[in-house]
């Protein structure tokens, strides 16, 4: 039993660390809570036997590091869009191409229908 | 029999009311797309929906543009730069030209549709990486639209006096195939958004064939009917679309 909880705590803490370094860092909370729960159970079971293994303390350290990274990232990482030069270039290119194409198309719209639509130009 | 006649009446009224009183030129809606797993939200991308006037020598068209860009933290893992645009009749939202340019984690695809409503055909040009080009002409039905103009068309319906459960079918041309979709009105709901607390029309989007619901949209219960919140089914967890800002609204 003690061994099982130790292994579960270790696996959960490793997942917590992996998630925390990925952009999905918020999700690290789920395995971190699991790691803490399994770790505490493993710790008490070991304490009863009077032989607490270092590996359990190691899982606690991993979990705390994961939680620290997650908290840091959620506070200091800005959710912003950068690197939009390429898509802006595509937008301009497509617009130019489309204008050419639309000029060649035979579009029948009754202009009087459009009179009540205010133009924002 | 009475039910059928009511249904027919509804369908007729829907087709009569399908005039654009909700979408004007110069509207810009910005959304945050996020992933929700057990209540923990992770922001993925910014989605913008813009409209503008396009003047050709013959007429004026409405340009509908949707853009999805991942936030900078995702760019090194899975960069998405998607652009969808449709040039439509400003009154009826009938599409004339559609462009789709997607760049998702290194996968590139460009698709162009040129609609010919007289002959009921669409000329398509598909481009992929390293100048791979494929041209094809596909036949379409009378009411077939591209995905962007369909999304905007939903906003033009008069939902004020509908009873919940009423649905309307659409035909969408996507990846050169006609897909039958169904929009069902689910009733009114008040939700809190970045634009304040709004009373909304709740509608579900799904496929006609399988009767499954793929997503739910909340449109503001006013003249503009802007989508303020959306929930979409994905294999694990749910995808969410939340409005961040809205400007240039018609009403």
């Amino acid at each position: 039993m003690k061994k099982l909880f130790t292994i579960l705590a270790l696996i959960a803490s490793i997942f917590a660390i992996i998630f925390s370094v990925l952009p999905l860092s918020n999700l690290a909370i789920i395995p971190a809570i699991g790691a803490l729960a399994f770790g505490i159970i493993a710790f008490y079971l070991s304490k009863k036997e009077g032989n607490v293994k270092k590996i359990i303390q190691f899982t606690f350290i991993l979990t705390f590091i994961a939680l620290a990274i997650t908290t840091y990232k959620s506070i200091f990482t800005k959710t912003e869009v950068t690197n939009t030069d390429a898509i802006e270039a595509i937008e301009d290119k497509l617009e130019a191409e489309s204008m050419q194409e639309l000029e060649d198309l035979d579009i029948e719209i009754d202009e009087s229908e459009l009179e009540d639509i205010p133009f924002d130009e | 029999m009475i039910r059928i006649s009511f249904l027919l009446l509804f369908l007729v009224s829907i087709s009569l009311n399908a005039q654009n009183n909700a979408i004007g030129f110069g509207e810009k809606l910005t959304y945050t797309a996020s992933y929700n797993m057990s209540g923990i939200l992770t922001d993925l991308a910014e989605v913008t929906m813009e409209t503008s006037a396009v003047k050709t020598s013959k007429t004026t068209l409405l340009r509908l543009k949707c853009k999805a860009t991942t936030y900078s933290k995702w760019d090194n893992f899975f960069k998405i730069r998607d652009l969808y645009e449709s040039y439509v009749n400003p009154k009826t939202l009938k599409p004339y030209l559609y462009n789709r340019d997607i760049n998702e984690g290194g996968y590139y695809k460009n698709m162009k549709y040129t609609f010919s409503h007289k002959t009921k055909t669409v000329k398509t040009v598909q481009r992929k990486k390293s100048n791979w080009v494929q041209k094809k002409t596909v036949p379409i039905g009378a009411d077939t639209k591209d995905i962007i103009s369909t999304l905007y068309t939903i906003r033009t319906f008069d939902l004020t006096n509908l009873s919940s459960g009423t649905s309307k079918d659409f035909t969408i041309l996507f990846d050169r195939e006609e897909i039958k979709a169904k929009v069902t009105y689910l009733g009114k709901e008040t939700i809190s958004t970045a634009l304040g607390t709004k009373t909304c029309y709740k509608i579900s989007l799904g496929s006609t064939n399988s009767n499954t619901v793929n997503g739910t949209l909340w449109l503001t219960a006013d003249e503009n009917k802007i989508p303020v919140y959306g929930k979409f089914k994905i294999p694990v967890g749910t995808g969410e679309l939340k409005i961040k800002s809205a400007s240039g609204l018609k009403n």
Side-chain angles (χ1 to χ4, degrees):
Chain A
M1 205 60 172
K2 184 187 78 185
K3 222 174 194 175
L4 173 78
F5 279 110
T6 312
I7 292 165
L8 283 175
L10 186 67
I11 292 170
S13 62
I14 290 167
F15 269 110
I17 277 283
I18 292 170
F19 276 131
S20 68
V21 294
L22 289 174
L24 280 164
S25 58
N26 286 351
L27 289 184
I29 295 168
I30 299 169
I33 292 169
L36 281 180
F38 296 136
I40 289 166
I41 296 167
F43 183 78
Y44 278 106
L45 289 176
S46 315
K47 220 179 171 189
K48 258 189 199 166
E49 288 177 13
N51 176 27
V52 180
K53 284 209 169 139
K54 284 269 188 296
I55 188 94
I56 300 170
Q57 288 153 28
F58 178 66
T59 64
F60 282 132
I61 293 169
L62 276 186
T63 313
F64 284 123
I65 292 170
L67 285 174
I69 296 171
T70 306
T71 317
Y72 173 83
K73 280 171 100 174
S74 65
I75 296 170
F76 295 103
T77 312
K78 272 188 191 169
T79 46
E80 55 178 4
V81 171
T82 53
N83 259 326
T84 52
D85 300 345
I87 193 163
E88 276 161 18
I90 289 170
E91 267 176 64
D92 295 340
K93 193 185 120 206
L94 283 181
E95 192 172 1
E97 277 178 15
S98 304
M99 283 306 288
Q100 188 63 46
E101 193 102 2
L102 289 168
E103 286 292 347
D104 301 339
L105 280 181
D106 188 21
I107 300 168
E108 282 171 11
I109 298 178
D110 185 0
E111 285 289 319
S112 61
E113 277 184 17
L114 308 179
E115 273 169 9
D116 58 324
I117 301 176
F119 284 85
D120 195 33
E121 281 186 300
Chain B
M1 194 61 201
I2 294 169
R3 266 187 193 176
I4 292 170
S5 47
F6 266 115
L7 189 74
L8 282 173
L9 195 70
F10 165 70
L11 287 175
V12 169
S13 67
I14 246 183
S15 57
L16 287 175
N17 290 327
Q19 287 280 311
N20 172 23
N21 297 315
I23 307 141
F25 297 110
E27 179 192 272
K28 188 176 181 184
L29 309 171
T30 314
Y31 299 88
T32 303
S34 37
Y35 172 68
N36 186 346
M37 193 176 155
S38 315
I40 299 169
L41 279 178
T42 306
D43 291 342
L44 300 176
E46 185 180 87
V47 178
T48 54
M49 292 174 84
E50 276 176 79
T51 66
S52 57
V54 173
K55 282 194 172 179
T56 67
S57 57
K58 291 169 213 156
T59 187
T60 306
L61 295 173
L62 179 66
R63 181 192 192 198
L64 312 171
K65 186 169 77 178
C66 290
K67 215 162 66 171
T69 33
T70 38
Y71 287 118
S72 54
K73 63 174 178 179
W74 284 97
D75 282 353
N76 292 328
F77 291 88
F78 196 80
K79 190 175 171 180
I80 295 177
R81 295 288 183 270
D82 283 2
L83 179 72
Y84 292 76
E85 59 173 19
S86 186
Y87 294 81
V88 300
N89 178 326
K91 203 75 187 168
T92 60
L93 301 189
K94 208 177 198 185
Y96 295 103
L97 189 69
Y98 163 86
N99 282 311
R100 175 181 172 216
D101 194 282
I102 59 164
N103 203 330
E104 294 169 352
Y107 173 77
Y108 174 78
K109 186 157 118 176
N110 175 290
M111 184 77 95
K112 186 167 81 181
Y113 297 156
T114 314
F115 288 82
S116 170
H117 296 290
K118 270 184 192 165
T119 56
K120 290 199 177 75
T121 54
V122 175
K123 270 187 208 162
T124 70
V125 182
Q126 189 180 6
R127 287 189 177 86
K128 282 188 182 173
K129 263 183 184 171
S130 53
N131 293 325
W132 182 91
V133 185
Q134 192 184 43
K135 291 180 183 179
K136 222 178 193 180
T137 303
V138 288
I140 54 160
D143 294 322
T144 305
K145 286 181 173 178
D146 60 79
I147 188 147
I148 299 300
S149 43
T150 308
L151 260 180
Y152 276 91
T153 306
I154 295 169
R155 286 176 57 189
T156 62
F157 293 137
D158 186 6
L159 302 165
T160 33
N161 298 317
L162 288 192
S163 58
S164 54
T166 342
S167 63
K168 165 112 176 100
D169 291 346
F170 288 93
T171 316
I172 303 169
L173 188 69
F174 196 77
D175 274 339
R176 295 189 282 201
E177 270 174 37
E178 285 188 301
I179 301 165
K180 298 264 181 207
K182 191 165 80 176
V183 172
T184 313
Y185 175 66
L186 300 174
K188 274 188 183 177
E189 214 174 89
T190 305
I191 58 165
S192 102
T193 69
L195 308 177
T197 308
K198 297 269 180 197
T199 307
C200 295
Y201 297 122
K202 190 179 172 186
I203 54 167
S204 75
L205 315 167
S207 142
T208 320
N209 304 331
S210 54
N211 267 331
T212 51
V213 175
N214 298 324
T216 317
L217 262 185
W218 281 258
L219 310 177
T220 53
D222 51 26
E223 282 288 295
N224 295 316
K225 280 172 253 161
I226 53 168
V228 282
Y229 180 55
K231 250 185 180 176
F232 301 94
K233 259 191 189 172
I234 43 177
V236 184
T238 48
E240 278 187 22
L241 202 63
K242 276 183 186 164
I243 198 151
K244 221 160 68 176
S245 66
S247 62
L249 301 177
K250 192 178 176 186
N251 302 296

